[in-house]
Amino acid sequence: MPSTSKPAARHGATALPRLRLDAYNAELQDPEGHGFLGDRASNRAFMEMLDDWRTRVTRGSGGEDPIEEALGEDRPTRAIDRAELDAMLDSAAEDPEAAGLVHSAIEDFAQDMAAVVRRFLRLPEWRDTQRIAVGGGFLEAKVGLMAIGRVGVLLRAGGEQVRVAPVLHHPDDAALCGAPHLAPPALLEGFDACLAVDIGGTNMRAGLVALGEAADLSGAEVLDSERWKHAEEAPDRDEAVARLATLLDHMVQQAGAMGRRLAPFIGIGCPGVITGDGRIARGGQNLPGGNWEDEDFHLPEALLAALPSINGLPPAIILHNDAVVQGLSQSPAMRDVRHWGVLTIGTGLGNARFSNPG
């Protein structure tokens, strides 16, 4: 029979059920005084590099823009999606200049990200890192995968003893699949699914995650999920929490429809530094409505008030940093190394470093 007791667990913990979290949310300052170093390895940074190359080529050729010609229309760089850039790479034989321009932005991005990774590897908490998994929506496209591959080549050619590879799960699923790894194993005993949440500055997702048969949760997979693009609606904080509770309630109903034994547990990943009592100490400035860092606000308690039970049982809710949770989805594939990290490319560069038991 499933246990009704809730083993103790801390929000933002460094001692996790299967490994140790050495560091996360490192905010390295750009030595040139341009904010955070991680901003050089973000989605925005890549698009700015592409835009710069378009400007330089257009100026140098007297007004001819290979990407405009490939698209068949004049469009700002920010309005070009990564699938279109991938198509230009695939059409290199027919339009080599457009492909070459995209390659130029990939190279600039890879050079900057390799420099950022080197800075991370010099941090005391990141020394002896053997492998780094890279996640985030940037990896959904070929341009992202090529950039990360180039980062790995640059690091190895420069003598860094670290391997770089994409997170195995789809970018939309990684943070959700990492959530069960936050739970003490006893909390999941007798159940075959749990709820997971991924909160970002643009979207919010709630998911139903199958735990799989393996004790290390290597078989975890997303059965169903719902995404809310809160940036399009500009809700206040309380409206966002209420909408999140509604998404979670939908997932509870889906679990019932699928005949799943749903654990009384919700794992949540969100930006920022998470305190042991479940508050967001800093880094939540881009969350919907603002004020998520207020001393009077406690996300787990707010959700518990809105969703007081799961199949009659009070849920345990554990909150942690989103890069940490996304990294945890990769942990079963990292058992063959002692020290490893994760970098997530999004609005900024999320980061976390882990150590497996010795």
Side-chain angles (χ1 to χ4, degrees):
M1 292 290 292
S3 172
T4 59
S5 62
K6 294 189 292 184
R10 285 177 60 83
H11 306 282
T14 55
L16 295 166
R18 296 168 181 83
L19 44 68
R20 183 179 77 243
L21 173 63
D22 301 312
Y24 75 95
N25 204 61
E27 297 176 327
L28 301 178
Q29 294 293 324
D30 189 320
E32 298 179 4
H34 302 305
F36 295 114
L37 190 64
D39 291 342
R40 293 186 182 182
S42 65
N43 286 322
R44 179 181 296 177
F46 176 79
M47 298 307 285
E48 288 176 350
M49 292 170 189
L50 180 62
D51 192 60
D52 179 61
W53 272 106
R54 291 184 70 188
T55 300
R56 290 158 64 185
V57 170
T58 301
R59 185 189 306 123
S61 63
E64 295 180 1
D65 177 1
I67 285 185
E68 178 183 335
E69 293 172 359
L71 293 172
E73 61 179 337
D74 184 13
R75 201 188 310 168
T77 303
R78 65 179 180 276
I80 303 172
D81 63 42
R82 288 188 289 267
E84 291 175 305
L85 298 179
D86 282 358
M88 293 176 200
L89 294 175
D90 292 337
S91 301
E94 294 79 27
D95 194 348
E97 285 197 351
L101 198 156
V102 176
H103 268 285
S104 298
I106 290 172
E107 179 63 21
D108 282 358
F109 181 89
Q111 292 282 352
D112 274 7
M113 185 166 180
V116 172
V117 172
R118 291 187 187 101
R119 281 286 303 277
F120 272 102
L121 295 175
R122 301 300 178 265
L123 294 174
E125 301 88 349
W126 277 75
R127 287 177 184 162
D128 301 320
T129 299
Q130 298 160 274
R131 195 177 300 160
I132 297 175
V134 183
F138 188 59
L139 278 300
E140 288 185 71
K142 182 180 293 185
V143 290
L145 293 172
M146 290 181 66
I148 298 312
R150 180 64 177 144
V151 170
V153 168
L154 290 168
L155 292 171
R156 293 178 66 191
E160 299 289 354
Q161 301 300 307
V162 65
R163 300 298 296 267
V164 178
V167 167
L168 294 175
H169 286 282
H170 185 279
D172 283 347
D173 293 348
L176 300 179
C177 289
H181 292 264
L182 295 172
L187 191 59
L188 304 178
E189 287 181 2
F191 301 98
D192 64 6
C194 75
L195 299 180
V197 173
D198 180 25
I199 302 174
T202 303
N203 302 301
M204 185 179 295
R205 297 180 71 236
L208 175 63
V209 179
L211 302 176
E213 300 295 330
D216 65 356
L217 299 173
S218 57
E221 62 176 339
V222 176
L223 297 171
D224 194 15
S225 67
E226 289 189 34
R227 181 202 303 265
W228 174 38
K229 296 183 178 180
H230 57 74
E232 298 177 355
E233 300 181 29
D236 64 30
R237 184 191 66 199
D238 293 341
E239 290 171 339
V241 172
R243 182 65 174 270
L244 177 56
T246 298
L247 296 179
L248 286 168
D249 186 61
H250 290 170
M251 292 299 102
V252 172
Q253 295 176 37
Q254 281 295 92
M258 294 179 182
R260 289 285 174 170
R261 303 185 306 277
L262 190 60
F265 168 75
I266 305 172
I268 304 175
C270 76
V273 175
I274 311 302
T275 64
D277 64 355
R279 299 180 192 278
I280 302 171
R282 66 177 189 275
Q285 63 272 9
N286 293 323
L287 295 177
N291 302 316
W292 290 65
E293 300 171 5
D294 283 1
E295 291 185 3
D296 295 333
F297 178 67
H298 189 274
L299 177 59
E301 289 180 359
L303 276 180
L304 191 59
L307 193 74
S309 69
I310 294 177
N311 295 333
L313 299 174
I317 301 177
I318 300 179
L319 178 67
H320 217 311
N321 173 267
D322 53 352
V324 171
V325 180
Q326 188 166 159
L328 289 174
S329 74
Q330 189 77 1
S331 59
M334 296 292 198
R335 300 305 297 271
D336 59 328
V337 295
R338 180 70 191 280
H339 306 296
W340 58 279
V342 62
L343 299 173
T344 59
I345 302 173
T347 306
L349 187 68
N351 57 86
R353 211 308 271 270
F354 303 91
S355 289
N356 290 321

